[in-house]
Tab-separated table of all heavy atoms in Angstrom:
chain	number	residue	atom	x	y	z
A	30	LEU	N	-2.271	-4.537	-1.799
A	30	LEU	CA	-1.447	-5.722	-1.591
A	30	LEU	C	-2.060	-6.959	-2.165
A	30	LEU	O	-1.390	-7.787	-2.802
A	30	LEU	CB	-1.179	-5.898	-0.111
A	30	LEU	CG	-0.195	-4.871	0.485
A	30	LEU	CD1	-0.316	-4.837	2.029
A	30	LEU	CD2	1.199	-5.139	0.064
A	31	ARG	N	-3.371	-7.127	-2.009
A	31	ARG	CA	-4.051	-8.277	-2.639
A	31	ARG	C	-3.911	-8.278	-4.115
A	31	ARG	O	-3.682	-9.343	-4.736
A	31	ARG	CB	-5.507	-8.309	-2.185
A	31	ARG	CG	-5.698	-8.650	-0.745
A	31	ARG	CD	-7.134	-8.519	-0.270
A	31	ARG	NE	-7.259	-8.999	1.107
A	31	ARG	CZ	-8.097	-8.415	1.993
A	31	ARG	NH1	-8.893	-7.429	1.648
A	31	ARG	NH2	-8.131	-8.889	3.222
A	32	GLU	N	-4.050	-7.142	-4.728
A	32	GLU	CA	-3.924	-7.057	-6.186
A	32	GLU	C	-2.488	-7.286	-6.620
A	32	GLU	O	-2.265	-8.042	-7.550
A	32	GLU	CB	-4.397	-5.652	-6.681
A	32	GLU	CG	-4.293	-5.430	-8.153
A	32	GLU	CD	-5.373	-6.165	-8.945
A	32	GLU	OE1	-6.394	-6.594	-8.331
A	32	GLU	OE2	-5.262	-6.275	-10.160
A	33	ALA	N	-1.522	-6.705	-5.951
A	33	ALA	CA	-0.116	-6.822	-6.300
A	33	ALA	C	0.369	-8.257	-6.140
A	33	ALA	O	1.262	-8.704	-6.889
A	33	ALA	CB	0.756	-5.871	-5.470
A	34	CYS	N	-0.212	-8.978	-5.193
A	34	CYS	CA	0.190	-10.366	-4.942
A	34	CYS	C	-0.647	-11.366	-5.713
A	34	CYS	O	-0.384	-12.568	-5.698
A	34	CYS	CB	0.128	-10.667	-3.454
A	34	CYS	SG	1.317	-9.733	-2.469
A	35	GLY	N	-1.710	-10.855	-6.416
A	35	GLY	CA	-2.543	-11.742	-7.254
A	35	GLY	C	-3.385	-12.674	-6.370
A	35	GLY	O	-3.720	-13.754	-6.836
A	36	ARG	N	-3.700	-12.232	-5.166
A	36	ARG	CA	-4.456	-13.106	-4.237
A	36	ARG	C	-5.584	-12.278	-3.633
A	36	ARG	O	-5.397	-11.684	-2.560
A	36	ARG	CB	-3.544	-13.619	-3.153
A	36	ARG	CG	-2.422	-14.523	-3.749
A	36	ARG	CD	-1.471	-15.058	-2.698
A	36	ARG	NE	-2.127	-15.673	-1.623
A	36	ARG	CZ	-1.615	-15.784	-0.384
A	36	ARG	NH1	-0.385	-15.304	-0.149
A	36	ARG	NH2	-2.294	-16.377	0.593
A	37	PRO	N	-6.745	-12.234	-4.269
A	37	PRO	CA	-7.835	-11.366	-3.805
A	37	PRO	C	-8.349	-11.695	-2.385
A	37	PRO	O	-8.928	-10.787	-1.732
A	37	PRO	CB	-8.921	-11.570	-4.860
A	37	PRO	CG	-8.453	-12.557	-5.820
A	37	PRO	CD	-7.076	-12.933	-5.492
A	38	ASP	N	-8.135	-12.910	-1.953
A	38	ASP	CA	-8.656	-13.305	-0.621
A	38	ASP	C	-7.533	-13.403	0.437
A	38	ASP	O	-7.759	-13.923	1.519
A	38	ASP	CB	-9.363	-14.630	-0.698
A	38	ASP	CG	-10.607	-14.591	-1.574
A	38	ASP	OD1	-11.249	-13.559	-1.579
A	38	ASP	OD2	-10.919	-15.591	-2.255
A	39	MET	N	-6.364	-12.885	0.104
A	39	MET	CA	-5.220	-12.987	0.959
A	39	MET	C	-5.461	-12.253	2.291
A	39	MET	O	-5.996	-11.134	2.309
A	39	MET	CB	-3.963	-12.403	0.293
A	39	MET	CG	-2.732	-12.392	1.137
A	39	MET	SD	-1.269	-11.792	0.215
A	39	MET	CE	-1.605	-10.038	0.109
A	40	GLU	N	-5.063	-12.895	3.402
A	40	GLU	CA	-5.157	-12.231	4.721
A	40	GLU	C	-4.061	-11.213	4.764
A	40	GLU	O	-2.893	-11.466	4.505
A	40	GLU	CB	-4.926	-13.256	5.813
A	40	GLU	CG	-5.016	-12.706	7.207
A	40	GLU	CD	-6.408	-12.269	7.586
A	40	GLU	OE1	-7.400	-12.785	7.036
A	40	GLU	OE2	-6.517	-11.373	8.430
A	41	VAL	N	-4.451	-9.974	5.073
A	41	VAL	CA	-3.494	-8.874	5.175
A	41	VAL	C	-3.687	-8.210	6.542
A	41	VAL	O	-4.495	-7.305	6.714
A	41	VAL	CB	-3.734	-7.800	4.043
A	41	VAL	CG1	-2.761	-6.642	4.188
A	41	VAL	CG2	-3.649	-8.453	2.651
A	42	PRO	N	-2.909	-8.668	7.522
A	42	PRO	CA	-3.019	-8.082	8.825
A	42	PRO	C	-2.491	-6.656	8.896
A	42	PRO	O	-1.572	-6.320	8.150
A	42	PRO	CB	-2.201	-9.006	9.718
A	42	PRO	CG	-1.194	-9.631	8.804
A	42	PRO	CD	-1.863	-9.691	7.463
A	43	SER	N	-3.017	-5.832	9.714
A	43	SER	CA	-2.520	-4.473	9.888
A	43	SER	C	-1.164	-4.612	10.620
A	43	SER	O	-1.056	-5.291	11.611
A	43	SER	CB	-3.474	-3.616	10.715
A	43	SER	OG	-2.851	-2.398	11.053
A	44	PRO	N	-0.135	-3.924	10.107
A	44	PRO	CA	1.123	-3.955	10.817
A	44	PRO	C	1.261	-2.958	11.967
A	44	PRO	O	2.373	-2.562	12.326
A	44	PRO	CB	2.135	-3.664	9.679
A	44	PRO	CG	1.363	-2.787	8.718
A	44	PRO	CD	-0.059	-3.260	8.818
A	45	SER	N	0.136	-2.588	12.563
A	45	SER	CA	0.162	-1.579	13.630
A	45	SER	C	1.059	-2.000	14.778
A	45	SER	O	1.733	-1.179	15.376
A	45	SER	CB	-1.231	-1.324	14.178
A	45	SER	OG	-1.997	-0.667	13.217
A	46	TYR	N	1.116	-3.287	15.091
A	46	TYR	CA	1.929	-3.740	16.222
A	46	TYR	C	3.237	-4.379	15.818
A	46	TYR	O	4.240	-4.301	16.522
A	46	TYR	CB	1.105	-4.672	17.136
A	46	TYR	CG	-0.018	-3.881	17.798
A	46	TYR	CD1	-1.271	-3.905	17.271
A	46	TYR	CD2	0.276	-3.014	18.829
A	46	TYR	CE1	-2.302	-3.114	17.840
A	46	TYR	CE2	-0.728	-2.250	19.434
A	46	TYR	CZ	-1.980	-2.282	18.932
A	46	TYR	OH	-2.985	-1.509	19.458
A	47	THR	N	3.284	-4.979	14.631
A	47	THR	CA	4.537	-5.525	14.138
A	47	THR	C	5.391	-4.415	13.478
A	47	THR	O	6.574	-4.619	13.224
A	47	THR	CB	4.278	-6.668	13.149
A	47	THR	OG1	3.535	-6.150	12.023
A	47	THR	CG2	3.561	-7.813	13.812
A	48	LEU	N	4.767	-3.335	13.094
A	48	LEU	CA	5.349	-2.140	12.428
A	48	LEU	C	5.639	-2.386	10.950
A	48	LEU	O	5.572	-1.460	10.199
A	48	LEU	CB	6.597	-1.673	13.142
A	48	LEU	CG	6.409	-1.307	14.613
A	48	LEU	CD1	7.759	-0.875	15.204
A	48	LEU	CD2	5.413	-0.189	14.776
A	49	VAL	N	5.917	-3.604	10.543
A	49	VAL	CA	6.128	-3.855	9.104
A	49	VAL	C	5.790	-5.283	8.801
A	49	VAL	O	5.993	-6.216	9.555
A	49	VAL	CB	7.608	-3.535	8.723
A	49	VAL	CG1	8.605	-4.419	9.398
A	49	VAL	CG2	7.815	-3.606	7.180
A	50	GLN	N	5.167	-5.495	7.602
A	50	GLN	CA	4.871	-6.784	7.079
A	50	GLN	C	5.440	-6.854	5.660
A	50	GLN	O	5.420	-5.858	4.962
A	50	GLN	CB	3.395	-7.009	6.954
A	50	GLN	CG	2.627	-7.084	8.314
A	50	GLN	CD	2.800	-8.393	9.024
A	50	GLN	OE1	3.190	-9.390	8.457
A	50	GLN	NE2	2.539	-8.398	10.276
A	51	PHE	N	5.978	-8.018	5.268
A	51	PHE	CA	6.584	-8.186	3.943
A	51	PHE	C	5.745	-9.096	3.053
A	51	PHE	O	5.195	-10.081	3.503
A	51	PHE	CB	8.027	-8.746	4.095
A	51	PHE	CG	8.928	-7.820	4.856
A	51	PHE	CD1	9.105	-7.957	6.223
A	51	PHE	CD2	9.586	-6.752	4.227
A	51	PHE	CE1	9.918	-7.071	6.924
A	51	PHE	CE2	10.397	-5.899	4.883
A	51	PHE	CZ	10.585	-6.056	6.268
A	52	TYR	N	5.694	-8.696	1.792
A	52	TYR	CA	4.892	-9.458	0.789
A	52	TYR	C	5.738	-9.626	-0.499
A	52	TYR	O	6.634	-8.860	-0.756
A	52	TYR	CB	3.597	-8.702	0.444
A	52	TYR	CG	2.730	-8.513	1.679
A	52	TYR	CD1	2.868	-7.403	2.512
A	52	TYR	CD2	1.777	-9.475	1.996
A	52	TYR	CE1	2.109	-7.249	3.626
A	52	TYR	CE2	0.983	-9.316	3.128
A	52	TYR	CZ	1.160	-8.216	3.947
A	52	TYR	OH	0.379	-8.023	5.041
A	53	GLU	N	5.319	-10.672	-1.255
A	53	GLU	CA	5.977	-10.833	-2.567
A	53	GLU	C	4.865	-10.601	-3.635
A	53	GLU	O	4.004	-11.395	-3.848
A	53	GLU	CB	6.460	-12.290	-2.726
A	53	GLU	CG	7.263	-12.470	-3.998
A	53	GLU	CD	7.911	-13.821	-4.060
A	53	GLU	OE1	8.868	-14.049	-3.349
A	53	GLU	OE2	7.411	-14.697	-4.855
A	54	GLY	N	4.986	-9.419	-4.247
A	54	GLY	CA	4.049	-9.067	-5.302
A	54	GLY	C	4.694	-9.317	-6.663
A	54	GLY	O	5.763	-9.909	-6.775
A	55	ARG	N	4.021	-8.855	-7.660
A	55	ARG	CA	4.497	-8.954	-9.073
A	55	ARG	C	4.169	-7.708	-9.792
A	55	ARG	O	3.107	-7.062	-9.594
A	55	ARG	CB	3.841	-10.140	-9.778
A	55	ARG	CG	4.117	-11.471	-9.099
A	55	ARG	CD	4.668	-12.451	-10.106
A	55	ARG	NE	4.981	-13.690	-9.384
A	55	ARG	CZ	6.206	-14.202	-9.341
A	55	ARG	NH1	7.183	-13.610	-9.940
A	55	ARG	NH2	6.443	-15.345	-8.704
A	56	THR	N	5.087	-7.285	-10.687
A	56	THR	CA	4.791	-6.142	-11.553
A	56	THR	C	3.821	-6.573	-12.648
A	56	THR	O	3.537	-7.779	-12.763
A	56	THR	CB	6.069	-5.604	-12.166
A	56	THR	OG1	6.680	-6.634	-13.008
A	56	THR	CG2	7.068	-5.138	-11.137
A	57	ALA	N	3.396	-5.672	-13.478
A	57	ALA	CA	2.469	-5.974	-14.557
A	57	ALA	C	3.070	-6.978	-15.536
A	57	ALA	O	2.342	-7.778	-16.157
A	57	ALA	CB	2.068	-4.691	-15.317
A	58	ASP	N	4.420	-6.986	-15.667
A	58	ASP	CA	5.039	-7.956	-16.590
A	58	ASP	C	5.424	-9.242	-15.894
A	58	ASP	O	6.077	-10.130	-16.485
A	58	ASP	CB	6.254	-7.318	-17.296
A	58	ASP	CG	7.433	-7.038	-16.380
A	58	ASP	OD1	7.351	-7.379	-15.152
A	58	ASP	OD2	8.434	-6.488	-16.851
A	59	GLY	N	5.041	-9.448	-14.624
A	59	GLY	CA	5.286	-10.682	-13.907
A	59	GLY	C	6.595	-10.760	-13.116
A	59	GLY	O	6.887	-11.743	-12.465
A	60	THR	N	7.383	-9.679	-13.094
A	60	THR	CA	8.604	-9.631	-12.305
A	60	THR	C	8.257	-9.626	-10.840
A	60	THR	O	7.317	-8.932	-10.401
A	60	THR	CB	9.409	-8.374	-12.671
A	60	THR	OG1	9.661	-8.342	-14.075
A	60	THR	CG2	10.709	-8.289	-11.933
A	61	VAL	N	9.026	-10.429	-10.052
A	61	VAL	CA	8.830	-10.482	-8.639
A	61	VAL	C	9.083	-9.071	-8.051
A	61	VAL	O	10.046	-8.411	-8.390
A	61	VAL	CB	9.760	-11.509	-7.952
A	61	VAL	CG1	9.671	-11.415	-6.412
A	61	VAL	CG2	9.341	-12.919	-8.379
A	62	LEU	N	8.214	-8.631	-7.155
A	62	LEU	CA	8.289	-7.318	-6.564
A	62	LEU	C	8.048	-7.395	-5.066
A	62	LEU	O	6.960	-7.551	-4.568
A	62	LEU	CB	7.183	-6.421	-7.192
A	62	LEU	CG	7.162	-4.959	-6.793
A	62	LEU	CD1	8.404	-4.240	-7.248
A	62	LEU	CD2	5.949	-4.263	-7.381
A	63	PRO	N	9.187	-7.298	-4.269
A	63	PRO	CA	9.028	-7.281	-2.816
A	63	PRO	C	8.285	-6.000	-2.385
A	63	PRO	O	8.608	-4.950	-2.872
A	63	PRO	CB	10.440	-7.287	-2.309
A	63	PRO	CG	11.341	-7.508	-3.480
A	63	PRO	CD	10.568	-7.221	-4.681
């Protein structure tokens, strides 16, 4: 997730209790990738 979002220090909580977390990543060509 940190790599896909281009944010190496991004906080990534475990979704163990929320069950799902959503992120906005990018493909290799820069296209937005949910």
